[in-house]
Amino acid sequence: MTNISKEDYLRVIYKGIEETGVVNPTMVAVHLNISNAAVTDMIKKLKREKYVSYNPYKGIQLLQKGKMEAIRLVRRHRIWETFLYQIVGIPWYEIDEEAENLEHSSSDNLIDHLERILNYPEFDPHGHPIPKKDGKIPRQKKCFPLDQIKIGNSGIIQKVNDHSKEFLFYLFNSGLLIRKKIKVIDKRNFDGSIIISVDNKELVLSDKISKNIFVEKIK
Amino acid sequence: MTNISKEDYLRVIYKGIEETGVVNPTMVAVHLNISNAAVTDMIKKLKREKYVSYNPYKGIQLLQKGKMEAIRLVRRHRIWETFLYQIVGIPWYEIDEEAENLEHSSSDNLIDHLERILNYPEFDPHGHPIPKKDGKIPRQKKCFPLDQIKIGNSGIIQKVNDHSKEFLFYLFNSGLLIRKKIKVIDKRNFDGSIIISVDNKELVLSDKISKNIFVEKIK
DNA sequence: TAAATAATTTAAGTGAGCTTAAATTAATTA
DNA sequence: TAATTAATTTAAGCTCACTTAAATTATTTA
């Protein structure tokens, strides 16, 4: 048994919209690693309770109530990540899974305390904005997935979109950290991989990796 | 639905034994606020999985496996309480309920980090010992419930056994904190209440209150 | 020691959140 | 546009952790 909560569904829907603009039940099922039938059930419930609107084949939308809940959860998650990283000293590539556990079991009051201790940070260690208590989301720098940067151009890593331990551990060991400057040296069209330089070293990145690294363009 | 976990049962059994020496299903049901029948079910399961031994009307015992699990949970709980109090700044009378949420969703690794930050504390803010990683429990000062202290004698508050917000809030506002020195001025036999002095003020405490305050005797 | 009381167990049932398999519906492609 | 493919829903069923009510068993008390 998995026992995923309503909150998890809302978070996945929210992040799906944030990242790809549209979310359908299959995407939710894949992300939560459950059957489509289970998602159908839960969407019915979320719809009945006015968290989402939904039309088959047209995608799921968050209604006011659902968006608020999702943002509250995302806030809790990202504040925990920042706290675990900055105060507790958990490594960058482990904070996501710890935060995922804690986010469901912390009161708003506790989260506000953590935020104060951190001095009201605007971004988490992966570069994602931390929603304020009132739901406002800090403005992000305009940035692009690394695979869209042209040969010869440079950028600063501002965000990573995949939070799996393996992916982040790889980036960590390659020195591909937030705020690092990189330059695109070459691209291989046949497999989409990309050659970049960081810290005067050259690295070959698969398209799967480069699609999940977001950089701010610089001259 | 309440959905109390196996861990909660073990914790209640452990603390029951710690405090009164013996635990039966009814006590567990009362503490967890569920029906006796639910406890019967779970005890069957805990027994089958070798966490506890049990004979009707004879009480529940923790087996090695169950004791280890319970101690692990108690450790997590008390380290969180200490962390929330010392590092996060949550008030004394609120840490128990926050910790109760967090204790189920933190890895051993996270707990070890918190313990290090706290410099390996031996007691939590309520005066209870924090089990070490290896399961060892720090030695406590010999102490007695306040209602057993004789008139004219003094003591130092070392532990409180009721962690409810209302109880602790009352103690907090009366200045009855851990390490405080108190003296028993008088007792009323007809209702078991007791008059003590703390910080040069006199207080009347019901027997329900004084039974939950543990003091170390001093001359 | 029999009756009263208290503790415990059994029985039947509920709701949440899943599962798989089959059926339906929509979108895409030949 | 018909056939194929993909997305979605329905149906039936499972487990878990509860519930209440009734039955049983042990302990206590008169």
Side-chain angles (χ1 to χ4, degrees):
Chain A
M1 183 157 300
T2 342
N3 247 53
I4 289 159
S5 73
K6 200 157 68 182
E7 280 184 335
D8 289 294
Y9 285 86
L10 292 173
R11 174 172 50 78
V12 167
I13 295 166
Y14 178 82
K15 292 191 79 177
I17 292 171
E18 194 181 49
E19 281 165 27
T20 69
V22 67
V23 182
N24 59 35
T26 304
M27 289 164 70
V28 175
V30 169
H31 271 87
L32 294 174
N33 197 30
I34 54 176
S35 69
N36 282 19
V39 177
T40 297
D41 275 4
M42 181 57 89
I43 287 175
K44 262 186 206 155
K45 198 176 157 188
L46 292 173
K47 204 174 165 179
R48 200 173 24 200
E49 296 173 11
K50 305 253 190 290
Y51 286 98
V52 303
S53 67
Y54 170 60
N55 295 99
Y57 302 91
K58 303 288 179 196
I60 308 162
Q61 273 84 41
L62 285 172
L63 298 178
Q64 177 68 8
K65 189 178 169 190
K67 194 171 176 183
M68 272 175 50
E69 270 297 300
I71 286 177
R72 261 191 65 227
L73 189 67
V74 166
R75 171 177 158 81
R76 295 210 291 279
H77 183 88
R78 292 179 183 169
I79 284 180
W80 265 121
E81 285 192 325
T82 311
F83 189 85
L84 292 173
Y85 185 67
Q86 288 189 19
I87 307 294
V88 182
I90 307 282
W92 192 53
Y93 45 84
E94 285 179 359
I95 56 177
D96 187 69
E97 58 181 300
E98 293 284 359
E100 202 143 322
N101 297 327
L102 297 169
E103 65 189 6
H104 296 294
S105 31
S106 7
S107 67
D108 285 347
N109 187 277
L110 171 55
I111 294 299
D112 295 346
H113 270 275
L114 301 182
E115 187 186 31
R116 179 181 47 72
I117 288 172
L118 294 165
N119 200 26
Y120 305 92
E122 302 222 301
F123 297 92
D124 74 17
H126 302 121
H128 290 266
I130 299 172
K132 299 292 176 193
K133 196 176 168 56
D134 64 7
K136 287 231 176 66
I137 294 168
R139 186 82 185 278
Q140 301 173 71
K141 294 223 171 72
K142 189 162 178 55
C143 51
F144 305 86
L146 184 46
D147 67 324
Q148 286 177 21
I149 306 296
K150 294 211 182 75
I151 295 173
N153 286 358
S154 295
I156 294 172
I157 300 177
Q158 292 289 5
K159 193 166 73 169
V160 291
N161 254 5
D162 179 337
H163 292 182
S164 73
K165 196 168 174 171
E166 300 71 29
F167 175 69
L168 294 177
F169 189 69
Y170 171 76
L171 295 194
F172 181 78
N173 284 312
S174 308
L176 292 169
L177 305 174
I178 304 294
R179 301 282 118 78
K180 272 294 178 75
K181 191 181 160 184
I182 58 96
K183 185 177 179 181
V184 177
I185 305 295
D186 201 3
K187 290 182 172 188
R188 294 177 185 152
N189 282 323
F190 59 93
D191 69 349
S193 68
I194 185 173
I195 294 126
I196 63 160
S197 78
V198 58
D199 293 331
N200 293 315
K201 282 179 325 216
E202 285 200 2
L203 287 174
V204 182
L205 304 179
S206 71
D207 65 331
K208 251 199 164 162
I209 290 175
S210 62
K211 272 189 209 310
N212 279 299
I213 300 174
F214 286 73
V215 303
E216 175 194 5
K217 289 179 183 170
I218 54 173
K219 291 114 275 185
Chain B
M1 182 158 297
T2 341
N3 247 54
I4 290 159
S5 73
K6 200 158 69 183
E7 280 184 333
D8 289 293
Y9 285 87
L10 292 172
R11 174 172 49 79
V12 167
I13 295 165
Y14 178 83
K15 292 192 78 176
I17 293 170
E18 195 182 50
E19 282 165 28
T20 70
V22 67
V23 182
N24 60 34
T26 304
M27 289 164 71
V28 176
V30 169
H31 271 87
L32 294 175
N33 197 32
I34 54 176
S35 69
N36 282 19
V39 177
T40 297
D41 275 3
M42 181 57 89
I43 286 175
K44 261 185 207 155
K45 197 174 158 189
L46 291 173
K47 203 173 169 180
R48 196 166 7 140
E49 296 174 11
K50 305 254 190 291
Y51 285 98
V52 304
S53 68
Y54 170 61
N55 294 99
Y57 302 92
K58 303 286 179 198
I60 308 162
Q61 273 84 39
L62 285 174
L63 299 177
Q64 176 68 8
K65 189 178 167 190
K67 195 171 175 182
M68 271 175 51
E69 269 296 299
I71 286 177
R72 261 190 67 227
L73 189 67
V74 166
R75 170 177 158 82
R76 295 211 292 278
H77 183 88
R78 291 178 185 170
I79 284 180
W80 264 121
E81 284 191 325
T82 311
F83 189 85
L84 291 174
Y85 185 66
Q86 287 188 22
I87 307 293
V88 182
I90 307 283
W92 192 53
Y93 44 84
E94 285 179 358
I95 56 177
D96 188 69
E97 58 180 300
E98 294 283 0
E100 201 142 323
N101 296 327
L102 296 170
E103 66 190 5
H104 297 294
S105 29
S106 7
S107 67
D108 286 348
N109 185 268
L110 172 55
I111 294 299
D112 295 347
H113 271 274
L114 301 182
E115 188 186 30
R116 179 182 46 73
I117 289 171
L118 293 165
N119 200 25
Y120 305 92
E122 302 221 302
F123 296 93
D124 74 17
H126 302 123
H128 291 266
I130 299 173
K132 299 292 177 194
K133 196 176 168 56
D134 64 8
K136 289 232 175 65
I137 294 167
R139 186 80 185 279
Q140 301 173 71
K141 294 221 171 73
K142 188 162 176 59
C143 52
F144 304 86
L146 184 46
D147 67 323
Q148 286 178 21
I149 307 296
K150 294 212 181 76
I151 294 172
N153 286 359
S154 295
I156 294 172
I157 301 177
Q158 292 289 5
K159 191 166 74 170
V160 291
N161 255 6
D162 180 337
H163 292 182
S164 71
K165 194 167 175 173
E166 300 70 31
F167 175 69
L168 294 177
F169 189 70
Y170 171 76
L171 295 193
F172 180 79
N173 284 312
S174 309
L176 293 168
L177 305 174
I178 304 294
R179 304 280 120 78
K180 272 294 178 77
K181 191 182 160 184
I182 58 96
K183 185 176 181 180
V184 176
I185 306 294
D186 201 2
K187 289 183 172 187
R188 295 177 184 153
N189 282 324
F190 59 94
D191 70 349
S193 67
I194 186 172
I195 293 126
I196 63 161
S197 78
V198 57
D199 293 331
N200 295 314
K201 283 179 324 220
E202 287 200 1
L203 285 175
V204 182
L205 304 180
S206 70
D207 67 331
K208 252 199 165 162
I209 289 174
S210 63
K211 271 189 209 314
N212 280 299
I213 299 173
F214 287 73
V215 303
E216 174 194 6
K217 289 179 183 170
I218 54 174
K219 292 114 272 180

